[in-house]
Amino acid sequence: MRRILVVGGGYAGFYTAWKLEKRLRTDEASVTLVDPRPYMTYQPFLPEVAAGSIEARHVAVSLRRHLPHTHLIVGSVVHIDHAHRTATVRPVGGAEHELPYDTIVITAGAVTRTFPIPGIADEAIGFKYVEEAVATRDRLLTAFEQAATMPPGPQRRKLLTVTVVGGGFSGVEAFGELLSLATALLKHYPELSPDELGFHLVEVRDRLLPEVGDEPARWVVRHLEKRGARVHLGTSLVSAENDHIVLSDGTAYDNHLLVWTAGNEANPVVARHTDLPVNRAGRFPVRADLRIGTPYAAIPDAWAAGDDAAVPDLASAIPGGSLTVPNAQNAVRQGKRLAKNIVADARGRKVKPYKHHSLGTVATLGLGKGIFQYRRIVIKGLLAWLMHRGYHVLAVPTWERKVRVALVWFSALFYGRDIVSLLSVQHPRAEFVVASLGARQRRGAGEPIAACTAAPDETAAAAPRERPA
């Protein structure tokens, strides 16, 4: 049995393992996948999760459910020694151990890129994982509840102020959906007015959405500003300390919710702890057939795809000088090609290069609003938004997830989006701790305690334990 190790369960890793299960015989090879999370997040839906248009769990594809023949290890690969075909694995809650393999597939994905800006580590929230999208939504909804109980003034304006840093697809989509949610919420809060909303999009470049043309990008800016937003182009974040935003153009204001989407970088844990070659950007140099190496020589039994791989773009008009864009569209298709090539290589057949022509770019800008571009064709507004939903409900893996997402959208046509905040989920023991402290104080004051019907052993087991600060 050939042992195949897949490092990372994102787009490329999930699709590689998924297709390997379908193509390999059960007695031909075993597949092990290592990832810190037991699910794959379909990231294009995160803006709609933040806006309450999609249930959070529906964008998380369970690895155990959909990879039944793959051995899943929830943890991290902290070192790769390819010369000896071993990887050091650190399971969640377990001890590090060496895991031998015959073939390795590195699809560890990217991590959020940050900068040493004062206040970022304390105030900002990322937008790469479903937990972050849910927290972003709950904070905005809770801010509306708090603001509705306050008199008009600076503190109320602060609660209704949102800043998104990063003008790529993730940032623009998150910003557009949050703006759409906040505008829709106003009808439920007659105490608040549209003038009190403060939405700021900050981008260091002089334009948004580098993947689309100049005119569509300018249209997006005009569209967002028409809806009451402020777009700061050619501007960087200087400070975010104490909920106070300072921008490089001199703008300064108090802020409540800060979302950071200013790009990604290659996974540093994998890139810095391996004997496999890595380029200056921390990505593995990959041949067109997705094997790690140079165009003249490949490293045996080592493959890579997705955000960690510098894959040559054979569809580019620039021969030999362009790499595939590290996005979901490429990662999914690279994972599928990777699985086919691994099987072909194991069976002594010829592997094929990865070549994919872009299907265009599409982005949501809020409920009923979007933009699509394919070469010179540009579509705006409702039709582009429908195209966004149609494409992604087809692209999200497994029919189970497609159906769940479609049903939520269908119900929203009649009942609208869910506007319930569950911010307390982030602190599930808070109410229980308060109740326990109150019981202790009543005992100390000599107040009678209601009779407990539980057995003595059960009562002792349920008693709260002292924890160090």
Side-chain angles (χ1 to χ4, degrees), residues 344-367:
D345 185 62
R347 296 174 180 173
R349 297 203 300 262
K350 186 178 180 180
V351 299
K352 296 181 180 180
Y354 171 76
K355 184 177 181 179
H356 171 65
H357 293 276
S358 174
L359 302 176
T361 55
V362 61
T364 174
L365 302 174
L367 196 62

Side-chain angles (χ1 to χ4, degrees), residues 65-320:
R65 178 170 185 171
H66 298 289
L67 300 176
H69 305 298
T70 296
H71 176 50
L72 176 64
I73 299 177
V74 179
S76 304
V77 171
V78 296
H79 184 75
I80 297 173
D81 183 359
H82 190 64
H84 297 92
R85 300 297 195 275
T86 60
T88 304
V89 178
R90 181 186 297 157
V92 174
E96 291 185 5
H97 64 272
E98 289 191 350
L99 182 67
Y101 64 83
D102 299 304
T103 298
I104 191 167
V105 179
I106 302 176
T107 55
V111 297
T112 302
R113 179 181 60 189
T114 59
F115 302 96
I117 299 173
I120 284 293
D122 299 322
E123 308 295 343
I125 183 170
F127 207 78
K128 187 175 179 62
Y129 302 105
V130 65
E131 300 92 341
E132 294 172 327
V134 172
T136 299
R137 172 177 173 270
D138 287 342
R139 289 185 185 184
L140 180 61
L141 293 174
T142 302
F144 267 75
E145 295 289 352
Q146 295 173 346
T149 64
M150 294 182 176
Q155 186 61 29
R156 192 159 92 171
R157 283 185 174 275
K158 174 185 175 181
L159 285 170
L160 301 177
T161 301
V162 177
T163 301
V164 176
V165 180
F169 263 88
S170 296
V172 170
E173 288 191 322
F175 186 80
E177 288 287 349
L178 290 172
L179 177 59
S180 177
L181 172 61
T183 304
L185 284 173
L186 289 173
K187 67 180 181 181
H188 301 286
Y189 295 89
E191 306 91 344
L192 307 178
S193 68
D195 294 340
E196 293 180 288
L197 295 182
F199 273 72
H200 300 259
L201 179 59
V202 180
E203 170 54 44
V204 70
R205 291 168 292 195
D206 59 358
R207 53 162 296 167
L208 301 178
L209 300 175
E211 296 87 349
V212 305
D214 291 340
E215 179 51 36
R218 287 192 289 268
W219 176 86
V220 171
V221 174
R222 294 195 300 270
H223 171 79
L224 293 174
E225 290 178 338
K226 186 178 179 180
R227 291 163 57 187
R230 289 196 59 184
V231 181
H232 305 265
L233 297 179
T235 306
S236 59
L237 179 64
V238 175
S239 175
E241 288 185 301
N242 301 318
D243 291 330
H244 186 72
I245 298 294
V246 179
L247 304 180
S248 61
D249 63 359
T251 304
Y253 55 90
D254 289 334
N255 183 75
H256 175 67
L257 177 59
L258 176 61
V259 181
W260 182 269
T261 66
N264 300 315
E265 61 184 4
N267 193 312
V269 175
V270 175
R272 297 173 187 170
H273 299 87
T274 178
D275 56 350
L276 291 167
V278 178
N279 64 17
R280 291 183 178 179
R283 302 168 71 189
F284 295 96
V286 172
R287 296 156 51 97
D289 58 14
L290 303 178
R291 287 185 287 189
I292 297 176
T294 67
Y296 310 102
I299 297 177
D301 305 318
W303 308 75
D307 293 349
D308 273 335
V311 182
D313 188 358
L314 300 185
S316 173
I318 307 173

Side-chain angles (χ1 to χ4, degrees), residues 383-406:
L383 180 57
W385 177 77
L386 292 173
M387 293 173 67
H388 174 273
R389 284 202 163 183
Y391 171 78
H392 284 298
V393 79
L394 292 175
V396 66
T398 79
W399 278 103
E400 175 247 346
R401 279 299 181 257
K402 299 178 196 294
V403 172
R404 290 181 185 273
V405 170

